Amino acid sequence: MKSYLNPKKSEWPQILERPLFDASELTANVKAILTEIKTDGLSAIKKFTQQFDGAEIDDFAISAQELSEATNQLDPKLKEAITIAAENIKQFHASQQTEINKVETTKGVVCWQKAVAIEKVGLYIPGGSAPLFSSVLMLAIPAQIAGCKEIVLCTPPNKKGQINPAILFAAQLVGVTKVFKLGGVQAIGAMAYGAGPVPKIAKIFGPGNQYVMAAKQLVSISDVAIDMPAGPSEVAIMADSSANPAFIASDLLSQAEHGPDSQVVLVANSTELVDQVELELEKQLKQLSRKEIAQKALKNSVAIVLNDEFEMIELINEYAPEHLIISMENYLQTADKITNAGSVFLGNYTPESAGDYASGTNHTLPTNGWARSFSGVNLDSFIRKITFQEISESGIKNLGPVIEKMAEAEQLDAHKNAVTLRLKALGKEK
């Protein structure tokens, strides 16, 4: 990790710059694939599945038999762990439900808001070097609680046309209605336009590589909604002398192993702590199966020493990390001052991986600084809110003159007339 000692604020943006790549050629390639899927449908997704996944597939839909076999072949202890995690995630997201609250804004004028589920949602679950069955829980559970009628899941097959059994077990556990052996850009295109057995859906959720993310952003222009813009995963850690260097190193590495373009940032109040963490990183790296990936990610990463706690907070809010771990003695007071972060982990015994899997919070979070303006996935991500208003005779008498005056000032005569006619009718009735 590159280290910086009390850098000037003017240097922060450059130090905290995310890893960038030239996406122009990638975007053009993705756009061409999407266009072909939109035009040719089933034949196109077959072609690209063969080209990119090396699998010849005639029937993309997962059968009931395949779901049953996946359940039978999975390690019982893993099934138990997934089930416990699912219950925690369900409990947390169910707590986000709200009751309808009717408000009388003016006497005789009643307004309220009703949450309505998005009817058809699509979940993209990566299945390559790290099949993310945990993302099935994070996305399908709030969709089910929200009341989405159709929950479609796409995940890439291996060369034999098979899906990781943990993904299939999680899917049947949490109410996914349809599962398809389909990955990459072709999965995003199929869900955006409808292709073969894959229905056109209203909103796409889920992580993916740079091609998948480019595809999501392209289809979101005019065809379908997406959860959020996203880039490579990232974590920032704030630490003081109360922190455990081994814990910090383990959290940095757990994020670094996601991919070579991931970024980890350590903000500490002493060079001694940074040195101790560096030693732990070297020690723990040797034990990782994804050591080479983590090493590449660490090249994108920085350690920053700031002696002033308020500057530490200011820097973190400027960076707006996807994940933030606060390993400081006064972590609760510090957390109160955090305004830009996707998900925050407090104290020495709250690893970021808890949120990735089983604590209950959602791990689908804004990256690349989008935490300044986006929330992570939650129950609201799967619903729309419709407003209602009911005005009685006395209500239109009370509010009508206000509407008339405002419409007249905006020179919208028909708007004014819609009220005036009603007021006149009520006057005649008397």
Side-chain angles (χ1 to χ4, degrees), residues 404 407 412-422 424:
E404 286 182 308
L412 295 175
D413 298 338
H415 281 63
K416 178 183 177 184
N417 194 47
V419 173
T420 303
L421 288 174
R422 286 169 167 81
K424 285 180 179 178

Side-chain angles (χ1 to χ4, degrees), residues 337-348:
K337 299 179 179 69
I338 298 300
T339 55
N340 296 329
S343 191
V344 183
F345 303 78
L346 302 173
N348 286 328

Side-chain angles (χ1 to χ4, degrees), residues 36-306:
E36 193 168 336
I37 292 169
K38 191 172 187 177
T39 305
D40 298 336
L42 180 58
S43 62
I45 62 174
K46 283 185 176 182
K47 168 189 166 182
F48 292 121
T49 298
Q50 167 68 49
Q51 181 178 332
F52 297 123
D53 295 315
E56 287 188 30
I57 295 179
D58 291 319
D59 186 1
F60 286 92
I62 292 287
S63 66
Q65 182 181 345
E66 287 174 298
L67 283 172
S68 177
E69 288 173 356
T71 299
N72 292 335
Q73 65 182 272
L74 205 62
D75 175 8
K77 289 187 177 179
L78 177 56
K79 286 196 285 189
E80 183 184 6
I82 291 172
T83 303
I84 292 170
E87 186 54 42
N88 290 346
I89 295 163
K90 183 177 181 179
Q91 192 174 334
F92 178 70
H93 288 78
S95 73
Q96 298 167 20
Q97 293 174 301
T98 56
E99 295 180 358
I100 293 175
N101 182 28
K102 293 190 176 184
V103 179
E104 189 174 45
T105 56
T106 293
K107 192 166 181 61
V109 180
V110 180
C111 301
W112 67 95
Q113 183 173 258
K114 179 183 176 183
V116 179
I118 299 171
E119 291 192 5
K120 293 183 180 181
V121 295
L123 317 181
Y124 183 77
I125 306 298
S129 61
L132 300 183
F133 60 85
S134 57
S135 290
V136 180
L137 308 181
M138 297 292 175
L139 299 175
I141 288 173
Q144 187 183 44
I145 294 169
C148 300
K149 290 181 180 176
E150 197 158 3
I151 305 172
V152 174
L153 187 153
C154 287
T155 189
N158 62 20
K159 288 181 170 56
K160 294 180 181 179
Q162 299 168 329
I163 301 300
N164 184 285
I167 289 176
L168 295 182
F169 172 74
Q172 62 82 32
L173 178 69
V174 297
V176 172
T177 51
K178 293 178 182 175
V179 182
F180 297 100
K181 308 168 188 176
L182 192 59
V185 175
Q186 57 271 28
I188 303 303
M191 290 190 285
Y193 310 130
V198 184
K200 175 176 170 54
I201 53 85
K203 190 172 183 179
I204 297 174
F205 295 80
N209 62 21
Q210 292 162 348
Y211 289 89
V212 168
M213 299 319 298
K216 282 176 66 178
Q217 292 191 26
L218 285 169
V219 298
S220 73
I221 294 171
S222 57
D223 296 290
V224 65
I226 63 171
D227 46 6
M228 67 189 80
S233 196
E234 61 199 29
V235 68
I237 300 178
M238 301 174 69
D240 63 13
S241 57
S242 68
N244 183 312
F247 293 176
I248 293 173
S250 69
D251 287 322
L252 293 172
L253 290 172
S254 70
Q255 198 61 43
E257 72 176 355
H258 268 296
D261 53 359
S262 292
Q263 187 180 44
V264 299
V265 173
L266 171 60
V267 183
N269 67 350
S270 72
T271 54
E272 290 81 9
L273 180 57
V274 171
D275 291 340
Q276 290 170 348
V277 170
E278 288 278 11
L279 289 172
E280 280 293 336
L281 284 171
E282 289 179 26
K283 187 190 304 181
Q284 294 180 32
L285 256 174
K286 297 172 185 176
Q287 303 165 17
L288 300 180
S289 58
R290 295 167 68 89
K291 179 174 77 170
E292 292 181 5
I293 292 173
Q295 282 177 320
K296 289 177 182 176
L298 288 175
K299 291 179 181 178
N300 302 324
S301 304
V302 294
I304 302 167
V305 176
L306 291 172

